[in-house]
DNA sequence: AAAGATTGATTGCTCAATCTTG
DNA sequence: CAAGATTGAGCAATCAATCTTT
């Protein structure tokens, strides 16, 4: 991986994330980070995650997650819960409304993502990197 | 490309960009976007680009580039120039100081990028995607 | 003293509106 | 009226500092 290729990936990702994020915001009123957090919470055992784990799974900082969960809480899509055994810890828990919203947004996310990637692959500037991304590591 | 894989790429990129950006900021006092803009300007014919072209090459919006060039101008790394034939257009032009700064930062960028990617490849959570990114499209 | 989470300050981005030129 | 760039407002991210619990 050289810097040139990395820079292409970065620009490609900016474009794709932009499109998907706009679609989520317009149709479901949530941001990309909101959606991804909801998804991680929904799939977590007990529908809950510690702030740190949510940060690791979303690629955000601790403080970003702290504010993200406040947003979700305000929207009624998640709530915070204290950790019983370690009272420094805080769980983010997805609510039924949150689960519902995530289900609604799911198809939008996947469709918008596919479309954005297809557009990128059709653009000569990204054709190579867009198709290359699809291929996995040593396993194929 | 499925959504799961894309999400991994997004998290991987967040981590790598974070590390590279921190290195650039600490050692050279410029942000990732600054560095990438300087690079594009430095390699452009005449060391200049129209705002729109710079936006396309960096993956930023028009307004983001407009503010970016103000930052670079304030730092003495670039300047703006009017387009003689179409007076709506504005060129960003890299200065000698800008060229010099970019040369200084170049090794930092490439080294930090390599290290961050190597770290990611060593992390079981990213091993597959990190190595997979290295492979190009149909050409290999 | 260290770990987990939150808060204050700042940065850099986007959208929408505006200004200028074609 | 359209195109290119800038500006105002708002949002979401970061860092550094702080507070609580271990």
């Amino acid at each position: 991986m050289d810097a040139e290729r990395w820079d292409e990936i970065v620009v490609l990702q900016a474009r794709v994330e932009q499109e998907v994020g706009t679609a989520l915001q317009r149709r479901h009123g949530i941001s990309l980070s909101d959606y991804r957090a909801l998804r991680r919470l929904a799939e977590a055992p007990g529908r809950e995650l510690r702030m740190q784990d949510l940060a690791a799974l979303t690629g955000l900082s601790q403080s970003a997650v702290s504010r993200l969960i406040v947003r979700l809480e305000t929207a009624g899509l998640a709530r915070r819960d204290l950790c019983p055994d370690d009272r420094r810890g805080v769980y983010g828990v997805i609510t039924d409304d949150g689960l519902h919203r995530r289900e609604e947004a799911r198809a939008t996310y996947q469709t918008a993502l596919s479309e954005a990637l297809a557009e990128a692959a059709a653009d000569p500037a990204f054709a190579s990197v867009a198709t290359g991304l699809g291929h996995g590591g040593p396993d194929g």
Side-chain angles (χ1 to χ4, degrees), chain A:
Chain A
M1 162 83 67
D2 60 352
E4 179 61 49
R5 181 169 175 78
W6 179 256
D7 288 353
E8 283 176 22
I9 293 172
V10 168
V11 175
L12 168 68
Q13 181 173 311
R15 182 183 296 203
V16 171
E17 292 279 279
Q18 172 65 28
E19 284 190 43
V20 179
T22 299
L24 282 174
Q25 191 68 58
R26 238 190 31 232
R27 299 189 216 170
H28 306 284
I30 58 177
S31 73
L32 257 174
S33 291
D34 292 343
Y35 174 77
R36 293 193 170 120
L38 289 177
R39 180 233 160 172
R40 292 299 182 178
L41 292 171
E43 293 181 355
R47 295 174 176 178
E48 65 183 12
L49 285 170
R50 302 254 319 227
M51 298 289 97
Q52 282 195 319
D53 298 329
L54 189 51
L57 288 169
T58 53
L60 296 174
S61 68
Q62 268 195 345
S63 79
V65 168
S66 182
R67 286 173 161 122
L68 186 153
I69 202 79
V70 169
R71 288 202 303 274
L72 294 179
E73 208 165 16
T74 304
L77 304 177
R79 59 185 172 76
R80 274 180 292 191
D81 210 352
L82 293 179
C83 201
D85 45 317
D86 180 349
R87 270 157 34 205
R88 293 172 303 181
V90 173
Y91 281 112
V93 191
I94 191 169
T95 63
D96 289 343
D97 277 3
L99 283 169
H100 188 239
R101 184 77 65 94
R102 187 248 170 169
E103 277 308 321
E104 288 175 332
R106 199 171 183 168
T108 296
Y109 182 73
Q110 294 182 333
T111 303
L113 177 57
S114 295
E115 287 177 1
L117 287 170
E119 281 176 34
D123 183 336
F126 296 116
S128 161
V129 71
T131 54
L133 282 181
H135 303 301
D139 308 337

